[in-house]
Amino acid sequence: MVKQEEKMRRRGGRTARRAAHINGPIIHKPALVSKVPLYDIVNEEGVEQINELAMRIVEEIGVEFRDQESLEIWQKTDAEINDTNVKIGRNTLLELIESVPTEYIHHARNPERTVVVGGRSMVISPSYGPPFIYDFKGVRRPAILNDLHNLQKLNHMAPSVHIAGGPIVEPLDVVVPHRHLHMTYSSLKYSDKPIIGNVTARERAQDTVDMCKIVFGKEFASNNCCTTSLINSNSPLVWDATMLDALKIYASNNHAVMCSPFSMAGASTPASNIGTMAVVTAEALMAIALGQLVRKGAPMLFGVPAMTVALNSGAPVHGSPDSAIVQFLSGQMARRYRIPHRAIANCATSKVPDMQAGFDSMWGLFPSFLAGAQWITMAGGIMEGTLGVSYAKTMIDLEQVDAFYHFCKGCNFEDIEEIFETVRDVGAGGHFLGSAHTRKANLFIFPSQNNTTYEQWELDGKKDSAQVGLEKAENWLSRYKMPAIEQDVDGALQDFISERESEISTKVE
Amino acid sequence: MVKQEEKMRRRGGRTARRAAHINGPIIHKPALVSKVPLYDIVNEEGVEQINELAMRIVEEIGVEFRDQESLEIWQKTDAEINDTNVKIGRNTLLELIESVPTEYIHHARNPERTVVVGGRSMVISPSYGPPFIYDFKGVRRPAILNDLHNLQKLNHMAPSVHIAGGPIVEPLDVVVPHRHLHMTYSSLKYSDKPIIGNVTARERAQDTVDMCKIVFGKEFASNNCCTTSLINSNSPLVWDATMLDALKIYASNNHAVMCSPFSMAGASTPASNIGTMAVVTAEALMAIALGQLVRKGAPMLFGVPAMTVALNSGAPVHGSPDSAIVQFLSGQMARRYRIPHRAIANCATSKVPDMQAGFDSMWGLFPSFLAGAQWITMAGGIMEGTLGVSYAKTMIDLEQVDAFYHFCKGCNFEDIEEIFETVRDVGAGGHFLGSAHTRKANLFIFPSQNNTTYEQWELDGKKDSAQVGLEKAENWLSRYKMPAIEQDVDGALQDFISERESEISTKVE
């Protein structure tokens, strides 16, 4: 492989350079520490107005916890509980969330991939939850376990993706009661980055923690964050037992939980950016507070997957200026409460990786990064309003994430004197292409962006970015190298899965 | 037409609502006054460092003016002139640019379309200069006059486009020496919005002004801004005679000129965002100062079409995080000098309106709007690094501009009490779809974004956004109504064109 590359490089020319670039070594970038300013879309008074509205909601309307155990936990506080409705005074609520760490360490099985989440440290994680795959022929079909493995591999190789993820895609060929075991194994086996846990049932969350115990040791995995998991409320103002069970399991082991209201402005939240923000704030803070009652100091995130409803079809829509506003607001509210913020990036509503899909995705990307979200999910591939994930779009999206990484480095003022001298040397009417300063430069160019002439592009087969993305995915998969895993750990994980499979009924629920 | 719409509306259903939406009345939005904060990517110290570097360039390196008349104008100042090189002290330069209006009125032949440019008022203008059209079959071919007319019509109908534009596309079927006459006529005839002037020769600029005299009156068009025109430097640090001639003609008539260095980081400007910004600042300010020497108080803009070079191919690249940074910097520098700022939006490097084209465009859109650029060119359709314009992309891009218009309205805090009551009425687990508050809502949904189910999308013909864009362009053209123009004015314009055509040799230059 190396020999072939060397040969092509010596042969020179554009094709060789391109091949060398495509086949370059795998780089794993550390968590992003952005050097550009955050963008506040409202002023401090605006933040306080949203806080006030959220506090009135928790005090006067309340949030439902449809879970007996959670209600019993709330009884330890001065909350006013009626049936499943929990109303709480703002002082109690704000005091409870004070113990949430502003940053936490999320451990990876490879210590080199362990990341800090929160504070100034931002991490990126893959797609989450789609049941459909847009495959290597661009055909949409139900996803299978091999698709999950493939996406684990691609995300493992993505320089700016820090998290292995969990349900990057739903493997529909594995029965639901056993699926979480294979998803967790996939993330632990095909990547060595930090993983996302399963939340679809109490015992599945427990199985995830138990698998972490095999990898990290029992004591360690019971007291240190080895997964970050995502729970969604049933907006408006409802947390159900399944999600709360997952919250309790993970928090009690000191693993992190993203408390993410399912905001869809106009349907599950008010048709107003301010109203949406207030409702999701109320929901998120209540779940976070419950998590702190389960285990004080357990890491939690303030999560907002901002969407809008299409009033004509009732469908959730990604790619909207209103959702972008909510994303910016979320960053401001999360900072107000000093809780790490989770946002979503590359989501499209399109049914094909088309121009609109690019636009849709950017309405999530720009706000996520400029809001300073410390956890950005959906790094790549999301189609069809989260119902599908595309191999092609995954690869193009991941380049965009790399570009934002570059953007967030901001401006370099250190070489000003050299710039001045270079401008003088190049002189009026000259060019900077060959100057020493340019040769050291680090300007970002998208690898899959076609910047040749139209004629060259025609000769190269008239490929659109969807085709280029597919080819890149295939190229990456052909070059994937599995990260090392101790054989006894791998064996123990496989034994655990076999054992649990024999215990868990596969009857359709 | 109205009857048909009414019939469909009564028939009800999604298709009818969609048709009503697509065939809705033409709306012309006023200039945008953004209510969201601007984004500063560097702090005040950073701005001053760029200013210092730019001032050292004008003082110690100088800018070339390859035009005898311009050099004679510079001789009125204490500039140090060596051959074509002009060096100037910062005090003189900054004093000269002080007379540039912070805002100006750009008159349209229909007074209702007259806009304020500068200050808090932002305007949007169409694509500029591409010789190729991606036509109604998606085929790329040399553009002809009818394409220009078509694009004039589409931009005239676009709610958030304020400017008729000039060379939205280059009509290659009209000989170069006569082309400017037909381009100017096209913008005056098929739109009633403010126009962009021709700059490709001194006499062509004069012809444009003379045509304005026919439309606005001789006295008026000699003293009021009836065109805003775009001149490009030959970066680095060169202004040529053609562009300077245009500058002199327009400025002397008090028409506006965008002084736009052709920045291509790594080629025509340093491979550094700071270095690029300093060089373009030096170039732009020198041209602006010259304009003020021609006519003190003539409106000018600080223009930066930020691009990057692809070092592998030498080609200009649109869609890059570095260019985005330069766009943000440009806004800050323009504000420092109190000169209206011109930015560029929807440019793609792609050769087909694909996913990458959407991403590329957004790297221009977000910075343009968040930098508060008071003039945003390239509102729609640009492909192939400005060599082509696509009907399909034009329509999809224009929706994005509408979305940024919506975004820039920011947050509404006025209905907070109603939101609270609506949340209480809907209650936990309810939905907001039918509430009175939602019915009044103004959430933005992209008209061409497919938000139906996958199955419905299949039944509807599996259209990607390029196809949807093409169909929308055809629909709009079928509904276009020419804005009224006085018959004598129209006749006088046509006579002027005939006369000038008989005077101007069509020999190839």
PDB file of all heavy atoms in Angstrom, chain A residues 194-212:
ATOM      1  N   PRO A 194     -15.064   7.114  22.546  1.00  0.00           N
ATOM      2  CA  PRO A 194     -16.108   6.996  23.579  1.00  0.00           C
ATOM      3  C   PRO A 194     -17.461   6.636  22.965  1.00  0.00           C
ATOM      4  O   PRO A 194     -17.756   7.043  21.839  1.00  0.00           O
ATOM      5  CB  PRO A 194     -16.155   8.408  24.188  1.00  0.00           C
ATOM      6  CG  PRO A 194     -14.850   9.041  23.843  1.00  0.00           C
ATOM      7  CD  PRO A 194     -14.448   8.457  22.528  1.00  0.00           C
ATOM      8  N   ILE A 195     -18.262   5.895  23.699  1.00  0.00           N
ATOM      9  CA  ILE A 195     -19.508   5.373  23.121  1.00  0.00           C
ATOM     10  C   ILE A 195     -20.762   6.054  23.698  1.00  0.00           C
ATOM     11  O   ILE A 195     -20.721   6.678  24.747  1.00  0.00           O
ATOM     12  CB  ILE A 195     -19.627   3.845  23.291  1.00  0.00           C
ATOM     13  CG1 ILE A 195     -19.852   3.477  24.769  1.00  0.00           C
ATOM     14  CG2 ILE A 195     -18.410   3.135  22.720  1.00  0.00           C
ATOM     15  CD1 ILE A 195     -20.349   2.052  24.961  1.00  0.00           C
ATOM     16  N   ILE A 196     -21.847   5.853  22.952  1.00  0.00           N
ATOM     17  CA  ILE A 196     -23.168   6.320  23.387  1.00  0.00           C
ATOM     18  C   ILE A 196     -23.970   5.097  23.830  1.00  0.00           C
ATOM     19  O   ILE A 196     -23.916   4.048  23.187  1.00  0.00           O
ATOM     20  CB  ILE A 196     -23.868   7.065  22.227  1.00  0.00           C
ATOM     21  CG1 ILE A 196     -23.193   8.433  22.035  1.00  0.00           C
ATOM     22  CG2 ILE A 196     -25.362   7.222  22.474  1.00  0.00           C
ATOM     23  CD1 ILE A 196     -23.806   9.301  20.957  1.00  0.00           C
ATOM     24  N   GLY A 197     -24.687   5.239  24.941  1.00  0.00           N
ATOM     25  CA  GLY A 197     -25.394   4.096  25.516  1.00  0.00           C
ATOM     26  C   GLY A 197     -26.806   3.921  24.985  1.00  0.00           C
ATOM     27  O   GLY A 197     -27.362   4.797  24.325  1.00  0.00           O
ATOM     28  N   ASN A 198     -27.362   2.769  25.278  1.00  0.00           N
ATOM     29  CA  ASN A 198     -28.723   2.458  24.855  1.00  0.00           C
ATOM     30  C   ASN A 198     -29.730   2.920  25.914  1.00  0.00           C
ATOM     31  O   ASN A 198     -29.469   2.801  27.111  1.00  0.00           O
ATOM     32  CB  ASN A 198     -28.861   0.947  24.628  1.00  0.00           C
ATOM     33  CG  ASN A 198     -30.163   0.613  23.953  1.00  0.00           C
ATOM     34  OD1 ASN A 198     -31.204   0.599  24.595  1.00  0.00           O
ATOM     35  ND2 ASN A 198     -30.117   0.375  22.663  1.00  0.00           N
ATOM     36  N   VAL A 199     -30.884   3.409  25.445  1.00  0.00           N
ATOM     37  CA  VAL A 199     -31.870   3.985  26.372  1.00  0.00           C
ATOM     38  C   VAL A 199     -33.269   3.402  26.184  1.00  0.00           C
ATOM     39  O   VAL A 199     -34.220   3.909  26.784  1.00  0.00           O
ATOM     40  CB  VAL A 199     -31.953   5.520  26.193  1.00  0.00           C
ATOM     41  CG1 VAL A 199     -30.633   6.189  26.550  1.00  0.00           C
ATOM     42  CG2 VAL A 199     -32.384   5.886  24.779  1.00  0.00           C
ATOM     43  N   THR A 200     -33.392   2.344  25.383  1.00  0.00           N
ATOM     44  CA  THR A 200     -34.742   1.922  24.997  1.00  0.00           C
ATOM     45  C   THR A 200     -35.440   1.043  26.047  1.00  0.00           C
ATOM     46  O   THR A 200     -36.583   0.651  25.856  1.00  0.00           O
ATOM     47  CB  THR A 200     -34.718   1.192  23.647  1.00  0.00           C
ATOM     48  OG1 THR A 200     -33.794   0.098  23.741  1.00  0.00           O
ATOM     49  CG2 THR A 200     -34.284   2.121  22.528  1.00  0.00           C
ATOM     50  N   ALA A 201     -34.745   0.703  27.131  1.00  0.00           N
ATOM     51  CA  ALA A 201     -35.369  -0.012  28.245  1.00  0.00           C
ATOM     52  C   ALA A 201     -34.381  -0.008  29.406  1.00  0.00           C
ATOM     53  O   ALA A 201     -33.167   0.052  29.191  1.00  0.00           O
ATOM     54  CB  ALA A 201     -35.719  -1.453  27.867  1.00  0.00           C
ATOM     55  N   ARG A 202     -34.925  -0.090  30.605  1.00  0.00           N
ATOM     56  CA  ARG A 202     -34.084  -0.069  31.801  1.00  0.00           C
ATOM     57  C   ARG A 202     -32.988  -1.130  31.723  1.00  0.00           C
ATOM     58  O   ARG A 202     -31.813  -0.855  31.946  1.00  0.00           O
ATOM     59  CB  ARG A 202     -34.993  -0.337  33.012  1.00  0.00           C
ATOM     60  CG  ARG A 202     -34.266  -0.330  34.317  1.00  0.00           C
ATOM     61  CD  ARG A 202     -35.177  -0.787  35.470  1.00  0.00           C
ATOM     62  NE  ARG A 202     -34.630  -0.330  36.724  1.00  0.00           N
ATOM     63  CZ  ARG A 202     -35.084   0.715  37.395  1.00  0.00           C
ATOM     64  NH1 ARG A 202     -36.105   1.409  36.964  1.00  0.00           N
ATOM     65  NH2 ARG A 202     -34.509   1.065  38.534  1.00  0.00           N
ATOM     66  N   GLU A 203     -33.385  -2.390  31.374  1.00  0.00           N
ATOM     67  CA  GLU A 203     -32.401  -3.474  31.382  1.00  0.00           C
ATOM     68  C   GLU A 203     -31.385  -3.323  30.247  1.00  0.00           C
ATOM     69  O   GLU A 203     -30.271  -3.813  30.336  1.00  0.00           O
ATOM     70  CB  GLU A 203     -33.077  -4.851  31.341  1.00  0.00           C
ATOM     71  CG  GLU A 203     -33.959  -5.123  30.135  1.00  0.00           C
ATOM     72  CD  GLU A 203     -35.396  -4.623  30.315  1.00  0.00           C
ATOM     73  OE1 GLU A 203     -35.625  -3.755  31.196  1.00  0.00           O
ATOM     74  OE2 GLU A 203     -36.282  -5.074  29.568  1.00  0.00           O
ATOM     75  N   ARG A 204     -31.774  -2.611  29.186  1.00  0.00           N
ATOM     76  CA  ARG A 204     -30.810  -2.395  28.094  1.00  0.00           C
ATOM     77  C   ARG A 204     -29.769  -1.349  28.501  1.00  0.00           C
ATOM     78  O   ARG A 204     -28.600  -1.463  28.147  1.00  0.00           O
ATOM     79  CB  ARG A 204     -31.547  -1.977  26.824  1.00  0.00           C
ATOM     80  CG  ARG A 204     -32.442  -3.090  26.304  1.00  0.00           C
ATOM     81  CD  ARG A 204     -33.263  -2.677  25.103  1.00  0.00           C
ATOM     82  NE  ARG A 204     -34.373  -3.613  24.936  1.00  0.00           N
ATOM     83  CZ  ARG A 204     -35.519  -3.327  24.315  1.00  0.00           C
ATOM     84  NH1 ARG A 204     -35.701  -2.115  23.791  1.00  0.00           N
ATOM     85  NH2 ARG A 204     -36.473  -4.219  24.218  1.00  0.00           N
ATOM     86  N   ALA A 205     -30.202  -0.362  29.238  1.00  0.00           N
ATOM     87  CA  ALA A 205     -29.237   0.592  29.790  1.00  0.00           C
ATOM     88  C   ALA A 205     -28.294  -0.139  30.737  1.00  0.00           C
ATOM     89  O   ALA A 205     -27.067   0.050  30.704  1.00  0.00           O
ATOM     90  CB  ALA A 205     -29.966   1.731  30.497  1.00  0.00           C
ATOM     91  N   GLN A 206     -28.873  -1.023  31.555  1.00  0.00           N
ATOM     92  CA  GLN A 206     -28.048  -1.778  32.505  1.00  0.00           C
ATOM     93  C   GLN A 206     -27.058  -2.677  31.768  1.00  0.00           C
ATOM     94  O   GLN A 206     -25.884  -2.774  32.150  1.00  0.00           O
ATOM     95  CB  GLN A 206     -28.941  -2.611  33.443  1.00  0.00           C
ATOM     96  CG  GLN A 206     -28.167  -3.288  34.565  1.00  0.00           C
ATOM     97  CD  GLN A 206     -27.425  -2.288  35.461  1.00  0.00           C
ATOM     98  OE1 GLN A 206     -28.018  -1.339  35.987  1.00  0.00           O
ATOM     99  NE2 GLN A 206     -26.112  -2.458  35.605  1.00  0.00           N
ATOM    100  N   ASP A 207     -27.527  -3.331  30.696  1.00  0.00           N
ATOM    101  CA  ASP A 207     -26.614  -4.167  29.887  1.00  0.00           C
ATOM    102  C   ASP A 207     -25.456  -3.331  29.344  1.00  0.00           C
ATOM    103  O   ASP A 207     -24.309  -3.786  29.298  1.00  0.00           O
ATOM    104  CB  ASP A 207     -27.369  -4.815  28.714  1.00  0.00           C
ATOM    105  CG  ASP A 207     -28.204  -6.018  29.155  1.00  0.00           C
ATOM    106  OD1 ASP A 207     -27.931  -6.575  30.243  1.00  0.00           O
ATOM    107  OD2 ASP A 207     -29.134  -6.396  28.399  1.00  0.00           O
ATOM    108  N   THR A 208     -25.766  -2.110  28.902  1.00  0.00           N
ATOM    109  CA  THR A 208     -24.707  -1.234  28.371  1.00  0.00           C
ATOM    110  C   THR A 208     -23.672  -0.951  29.446  1.00  0.00           C
ATOM    111  O   THR A 208     -22.465  -1.045  29.210  1.00  0.00           O
ATOM    112  CB  THR A 208     -25.315   0.085  27.851  1.00  0.00           C
ATOM    113  OG1 THR A 208     -26.407  -0.205  26.979  1.00  0.00           O
ATOM    114  CG2 THR A 208     -24.276   0.910  27.102  1.00  0.00           C
ATOM    115  N   VAL A 209     -24.160  -0.615  30.651  1.00  0.00           N
ATOM    116  CA  VAL A 209     -23.237  -0.352  31.767  1.00  0.00           C
ATOM    117  C   VAL A 209     -22.433  -1.619  32.082  1.00  0.00           C
ATOM    118  O   VAL A 209     -21.213  -1.565  32.297  1.00  0.00           O
ATOM    119  CB  VAL A 209     -24.007   0.135  33.010  1.00  0.00           C
ATOM    120  CG1 VAL A 209     -23.077   0.227  34.215  1.00  0.00           C
ATOM    121  CG2 VAL A 209     -24.672   1.491  32.735  1.00  0.00           C
ATOM    122  N   ASP A 210     -23.104  -2.765  32.045  1.00  0.00           N
ATOM    123  CA  ASP A 210     -22.403  -4.025  32.350  1.00  0.00           C
ATOM    124  C   ASP A 210     -21.316  -4.328  31.315  1.00  0.00           C
ATOM    125  O   ASP A 210     -20.249  -4.849  31.652  1.00  0.00           O
ATOM    126  CB  ASP A 210     -23.405  -5.181  32.440  1.00  0.00           C
ATOM    127  CG  ASP A 210     -24.291  -5.058  33.688  1.00  0.00           C
ATOM    128  OD1 ASP A 210     -23.928  -4.256  34.586  1.00  0.00           O
ATOM    129  OD2 ASP A 210     -25.333  -5.728  33.755  1.00  0.00           O
ATOM    130  N   MET A 211     -21.587  -3.998  30.070  1.00  0.00           N
ATOM    131  CA  MET A 211     -20.550  -4.188  29.044  1.00  0.00           C
ATOM    132  C   MET A 211     -19.385  -3.230  29.280  1.00  0.00           C
ATOM    133  O   MET A 211     -18.223  -3.575  29.066  1.00  0.00           O
ATOM    134  CB  MET A 211     -21.160  -4.025  27.636  1.00  0.00           C
ATOM    135  CG  MET A 211     -22.083  -5.199  27.270  1.00  0.00           C
ATOM    136  SD  MET A 211     -22.975  -4.986  25.704  1.00  0.00           S
ATOM    137  CE  MET A 211     -21.720  -5.457  24.511  1.00  0.00           C
ATOM    138  N   CYS A 212     -19.706  -2.038  29.749  1.00  0.00           N
ATOM    139  CA  CYS A 212     -18.624  -1.094  30.104  1.00  0.00           C
ATOM    140  C   CYS A 212     -17.795  -1.646  31.261  1.00  0.00           C
ATOM    141  O   CYS A 212     -16.573  -1.442  31.314  1.00  0.00           O
ATOM    142  CB  CYS A 212     -19.198   0.267  30.496  1.00  0.00           C
ATOM    143  SG  CYS A 212     -19.852   1.181  29.087  1.00  0.00           S
TER     144      CYS A 212
END
